[in-house]
Amino acid sequence: MKAIYFIGAGGIGMSALERYFNQNGYKVGGYDKTPSPLTASLRKEGIDIHFEDDIDSVDSVFKDKENCLVCYTPAIPANHGELTYFRENGFKVMKRAQILGLLTADKKGLCFAGTHGKTTTSAMCAHIMHQSEQDCNAFLGGISKNYGTNYILSGKSDYVVIEADEFDRSFHWLRPWMSVITSTDADHLDIYGTEEAYLESFRHYTTLIQPGGALIVKKGIKAEVAPQEGVRVYEYSRNEGDFHAENIRIADGTITFDFISPVENVRDVVLGQPIPVNIENGIAAMAMAQLNGCTAEELRHGMETYGGVDRRFDFKIKDSRHVFLSDYAHHPKEIQQSASSLRELYHDRKITAIFQPHLYTRTRDFYKDFAEALSILDEVVLTEIYPAREEPIEGVTSQLIYDNLADGVTKIMVRKSDVLDFVRSRDFDVLVVLGAGDLDNQCDEIAEIIRNKKQR
């Protein structure tokens, strides 16, 4: 193949593959529904992306079925015009996960799976490994602030850090050398149907780990594990398990702890991104890196210099008067972790969240859980649901969450188109934008509004 065409080219996971093929000399192009800062970056790198489902807009180099491979994300509807054209005209068409599995089959895959937490833990591990003697390649589900990209290339390492996505059972295409499972809280029930089927997909995933490797599981998760003979199994958590933290010190905007491990304890680990939830994320990342040869000093250095991931507890403003950040949290457990971390960090300040629910089905299935998690905060502003790939469901709106917020929580409904005006009309102490939709695209403007208020 000389050309690779991506349908859903603006997806964060797809873009890592696009960068891989682009850097390796292939002609790369694709379609996405809407422009974004990510698609703008990809186009600057020479990747040909357009935004209308129109086969006539596709360059002729991608219409040669003998030399062009087509990659698509399962989020693309089956009746998509370009996807239908490629299928009906005999092109080789593969899911993103299939291609990722092929690319990493001859390397040692260090895979991070879970309903939530996998982007941060995989990015942490990739940074630790990449700055160590071991080094690594990486396909991440977010833009690493250390590297400004979601793809890391090594010319010498056989290790590849992979975010293993459970959506549409994509992670079943992988053959991990080692894997972390961060969480198995039910999600994607539009795909799986039941929680039992969701948990079974994780059980099957654990059977794919190669003998000689290891499975590092968050202590207390629901899913059963069934690794092959010869796969070591460890548990981790913040406070207990084979890998855990002790002597945690949170003060003056810093977090330090001791990493307790069956391999070697590491004292005085300093979090470069000092957020309470990152203690547990760091335990998982360090466990994986340590099992693959990283030294105590490499672990310390990697954790202290880790800069975070775009849209994951992403501080835009942080001073004595205002705190403003965005967080990709879009599952109730993620919201709960985010809200609890904010409450621990800013226990004496008023915390406001602007939340854009992501998907009608997720809102339908978990609206009470969303309301419970958001009720940790002082004030909750809800926008309309971001549909992504879905059609509206009758009776499913943000009102379901609004009506179930706890007594005492200030609650407001605002249309997404009115969010900027709302921010202009109010003063905030701690403000967080939550969700996996497109409201994050307005965060730079929100930050500018808040800065202008400070100058008055």
Side-chain angles (χ1 to χ4, degrees):
M1 298 296 174
K2 297 176 182 177
I4 319 288
Y5 190 78
F6 289 83
I7 302 178
I12 191 69
M14 294 282 272
S15 65
L17 285 179
E18 290 158 43
R19 285 173 162 144
Y20 168 84
F21 284 112
N22 193 46
Q23 288 184 26
N24 281 278
Y26 292 82
K27 177 68 175 175
V28 180
Y31 156 87
D32 202 78
K33 188 176 181 180
T34 53
S36 69
L38 179 55
T39 58
S41 295
L42 295 169
R43 294 178 83 174
K44 284 181 182 177
E45 293 168 28
I47 296 169
D48 178 17
I49 299 175
H50 64 270
F51 304 99
E52 291 184 11
D53 179 10
D54 177 17
I55 196 64
D56 292 334
S57 300
V58 178
D59 191 287
S60 59
V61 73
F62 302 113
K63 294 180 179 177
D64 177 2
K65 67 181 179 183
E66 301 303 322
N67 291 296
C68 180
L69 171 65
V70 178
C71 175
Y72 73 101
T73 169
I76 292 292
N79 63 352
H80 186 271
E82 291 183 12
L83 183 58
T84 300
Y85 169 86
F86 288 119
R87 281 175 164 159
E88 290 180 348
N89 285 277
F91 284 75
K92 188 165 188 176
V93 179
M94 300 176 74
K95 289 182 182 179
R96 167 189 166 271
Q98 289 175 270
I99 295 175
L100 184 57
L102 288 172
L103 291 180
T104 58
D106 61 346
K107 295 187 180 295
K108 288 188 173 181
L110 310 182
C111 301
F112 290 78
T115 313
H116 47 84
K118 54 185 177 287
T119 298
T120 298
T121 51
S122 60
M124 279 181 171
C125 181
H127 176 60
I128 296 169
M129 295 284 292
H130 191 56
Q131 55 80 49
S132 76
E133 284 296 316
Q134 303 301 323
D135 202 359
C136 72
N137 305 273
F139 292 90
L140 304 174
I143 303 297
S144 163
K145 291 193 169 185
N146 290 92
Y147 306 103
T149 182
N150 52 350
Y151 168 60
I152 298 173
L153 175 65
S154 166
K156 65 176 185 178
S157 180
D158 282 337
Y159 292 112
V160 55
V161 175
I162 302 167
E163 181 169 330
D165 187 5
E166 79 278 10
F167 177 69
D168 198 38
R169 299 176 174 83
S170 292
F171 59 173
H172 291 174
W173 292 100
L174 302 173
R175 295 296 180 269
W177 167 242
M178 294 189 187
S179 183
V180 165
I181 299 180
T182 62
S183 49
T184 55
D185 302 293
D187 198 8
H188 304 302
L189 297 185
D190 54 322
I191 299 293
Y192 287 97
T194 65
E195 181 181 18
E196 290 73 23
Y198 185 76
L199 295 175
E200 167 56 26
S201 75
F202 277 92
R203 188 205 67 80
H204 177 70
Y205 170 73
T206 66
T207 70
L208 305 176
I209 300 170
Q210 299 174 34
L215 172 61
I216 308 161
V217 183
K218 167 72 183 297
K219 188 174 179 63
I221 64 169
K222 284 187 178 181
E224 296 180 7
V225 300
Q228 299 181 58
E229 187 175 346
V231 174
R232 293 163 285 161
V233 179
Y234 301 94
E235 289 187 319
Y236 81 95
S237 73
R238 174 168 166 162
N239 298 314
E240 57 182 339
D242 301 299
F243 298 94
H244 66 274
E246 290 182 0
N247 192 23
I248 298 170
R249 288 146 278 167
I250 303 177
D252 300 323
T254 66
I255 298 179
T256 307
F257 62 91
D258 297 337
F259 174 60
I260 306 305
S261 158
V263 180
E264 179 189 4
N265 294 344
V266 182
R267 305 295 176 189
D268 299 325
V269 175
V270 178
L271 284 182
Q273 198 188 32
I275 301 157
V277 70
N278 277 349
I279 299 171
E280 188 165 88
N281 290 333
I283 295 296
M286 286 190 290
M288 178 73 92
Q290 189 182 57
L291 289 174
N292 287 284
C294 288
T295 67
E297 192 50 46
E298 288 170 342
L299 293 175
R300 275 196 207 92
H301 178 70
M303 292 301 295
E304 188 167 4
T305 57
Y306 170 72
V309 179
D310 281 354
R311 297 186 71 178
R312 267 67 173 191
F313 247 92
D314 190 355
F315 286 92
K316 311 292 186 182
I317 299 173
K318 191 177 182 182
D319 59 37
S320 59
R321 183 176 171 190
H322 292 113
V323 174
F324 172 50
L325 67 152
S326 70
D327 193 1
Y328 193 71
H330 57 283
H331 183 278
K333 284 290 184 182
E334 292 174 324
I335 300 282
Q336 186 270 328
Q337 286 187 339
S338 183
S340 296
S341 284
L342 284 170
R343 183 59 73 201
E344 193 170 353
L345 281 171
Y346 302 108
H347 56 87
D348 58 347
R349 299 176 70 171
K350 180 181 178 181
I351 305 172
T352 301
I354 304 176
F355 177 48
Q356 180 187 35
H358 184 267
L359 301 183
Y360 293 102
T361 53
R362 189 179 280 125
T363 304
R364 176 198 64 197
D365 295 335
F366 302 119
Y367 66 89
K368 290 183 179 179
D369 301 301
F370 278 122
E372 181 180 356
L374 288 164
S375 294
I376 295 170
L377 304 175
D378 301 296
E379 184 174 51
V380 176
V381 181
L382 290 162
T383 74
E384 64 270 32
I385 294 169
Y386 180 76
R389 60 188 178 272
E390 294 185 340
E391 296 297 322
I393 298 173
E394 186 176 353
V396 178
T397 70
S398 299
Q399 190 74 37
L400 291 171
I401 301 171
Y402 181 96
D403 290 343
N404 283 273
L405 289 165
D407 293 341
V409 176
T410 303
K411 52 187 183 180
I412 303 164
M413 295 277 277
V414 175
R415 292 199 62 80
K416 192 195 84 173
S417 58
D418 296 329
V419 163
L420 295 179
D421 286 336
F422 173 76
V423 173
R424 288 187 188 97
S425 71
R426 299 285 298 276
D427 198 12
F428 300 99
D429 191 0
V430 178
L431 175 64
V432 58
V433 168
L434 295 169
D438 60 356
L439 184 59
D440 185 80
N441 294 339
Q442 298 185 23
C443 280
D444 287 345
E445 293 173 272
I446 293 173
E448 189 61 28
I449 292 168
I450 294 172
R451 288 191 192 99
N452 288 338
K453 288 181 180 180
K454 284 169 59 179
Q455 293 168 5
R456 294 193 192 116

